[in-house]
Amino acid sequence: MQQKFTPLFRLWHWLTAFSVLGLAGTVFLRMSFLNKNINAEIIRAKLESFHIALTPDQAVAVAKAIRAPMWEWHYILAIFLGIAIALRIVAMLRGDAQLPLLKVLRSENMMERFKNIIHLLICLTILVIALTGAFYYFHDALGISKESAHWAKELHESLFWPLMVLIALHIGGVIRYELATRECLVSKMIHGE
Ligand code: HEM
Ligand code: HEM
C-alpha cells in the first residue's frame, strides 16, 4: 500500500494544485476581463470620444500591452508546475507515490478504479499540457519555426477544457467522499494525519 500522505507527496499535490489553478486563472482572465478584442474595442471607442482615432490593429496592440504583465504569470506558474512534475518523479522513485497507471491496475473495486482512472487522466493531461506548452515556448531556441510548432499550441489549448472537467470531477469526488465518510481526507492531505 502506498504511503500517500508523506510530506513529499503533500508538497507535490498542493504545488500541482496551486500552479494548475493559477495557470487556469491566467487563461480565464485572458478570456474575460483582459480579452484583447473586447478591450481593444473599449479603448478604441473611449479614445474616439476624446477625438483620438486608433486603427483596430493599434487598439489590439494597446490591449495586448495591458494584458502582458498578467500573462507573464502563465510562464512564472509554468515553472512551479515544472518543479511539481519533478517532485512527483522523485516521490515515485522514493516510494512516496505510485505510478498512476499502477494504481489503476491495482484497484480493489470499481469505485476505486474510477477514482484512479480520473487521477491517471489528470496526470497525463497535465504532462501533455506542460510538454506542449514548453515546446511551443522554446520553439525558437529549438530551431523550429512558429508554423511547425503550431500543432503543439493547438494541442496545448484543446486540452484546457478537458482538464477543467477532470479537476471538477476530482474536487467533486473529494467533497462527496468527505461528506459520505468521516475519514477527513482533505485534512490528511493538508497535515498528513
Ligand atoms: C488543480 C487542482 C488539483 C489537481 C491537479 C489535483 C490532483 C490530484 C491527483 C493527481 C491526485 C492523485 C494522487 C495520487 O494518489 O497519485 C490527487 C489526490 C487527492 N486530492 Fe487533489 N488535486 C487538485 C485539487 C485538490 C483540492 C482543491 C483538494 C481538496 C479539496 C484535493 C484533495 C485531494 C485528496 C484528498 C486526494 C487523495 C485522494 C485519494 O487518494 O483518495 N485536490 N489530487
Ligand atoms: C495546466 C497547465 C496549463 C494550462 C491549463 C494552460 C492553458 C493554456 C491555454 C488555454 C492557452 C491559450 C490561451 C489563449 O489563446 O486564450 C495557453 C497558451 C500558452 N501556454 Fe499554457 N497552459 C498550461 C501550462 C503551460 C506551461 C507549463 C507552459 C510552458 C511554458 C505554457 C505555455 C503556453 C504558451 C507558450 C502559450 C501560447 C501563448 C501565446 O499565444 O502567445 N502553458 N495555455
Side-chain angles (χ1 to χ4, degrees), residues 2 4-5 9 12-14 16-18 20-21 88 97-98 100 103 115-116 119-120 122-123 126 163 167 170-171 174-175 185-186 189:
Q2 162 201 356
K4 52 184 171 180
F5 299 137
F9 183 84
W12 159 76
H13 180 268
W14 292 118
T16 305
F18 159 79
V20 168
L21 293 176
R88 173 74 196 207
Q98 284 184 355
K103 274 180 57 192
K115 179 193 82 175
N116 288 337
H119 290 170
L120 171 67
I122 291 177
C123 291
I126 290 177
L163 181 61
I167 288 172
H170 172 56
I171 296 177
V174 169
I175 292 172
L185 201 56
V186 180
M189 190 50 108

Side-chain angles (χ1 to χ4, degrees), residues 101-150:
L101 181 62
L102 278 185
K103 274 180 57 192
V104 174
L105 297 176
R106 290 176 185 164
S107 308
E108 283 165 11
N109 55 52
M110 282 297 283
M111 272 314 283
E112 200 184 315
R113 175 154 297 143
F114 179 70
K115 179 193 82 175
N116 288 337
I117 289 175
I118 299 289
H119 290 170
L120 171 67
L121 290 176
I122 291 177
C123 291
L124 274 181
T125 313
I126 290 177
L127 190 62
V128 176
I129 288 192
L131 289 175
T132 50
F135 180 77
Y136 188 70
Y137 186 83
F138 290 113
H139 68 82
D140 262 346
L142 293 167
I144 296 163
S145 70
K146 202 170 180 170
E147 292 70 41
S148 307
H150 192 71

Side-chain angles (χ1 to χ4, degrees), residues 20 23-24 27 30-31 71 74-75 78 81 126 129-130 133-134 136-138 153 156-157 160 163-164:
V20 168
L23 280 154
V27 173
R30 190 171 155 133
M31 286 173 179
W71 191 247
H74 198 74
Y75 306 124
L81 184 62
I126 290 177
I129 288 192
Y136 188 70
Y137 186 83
F138 290 113
K153 182 170 155 50
H156 185 78
E157 292 176 12
F160 176 67
L163 181 61
M164 292 304 108

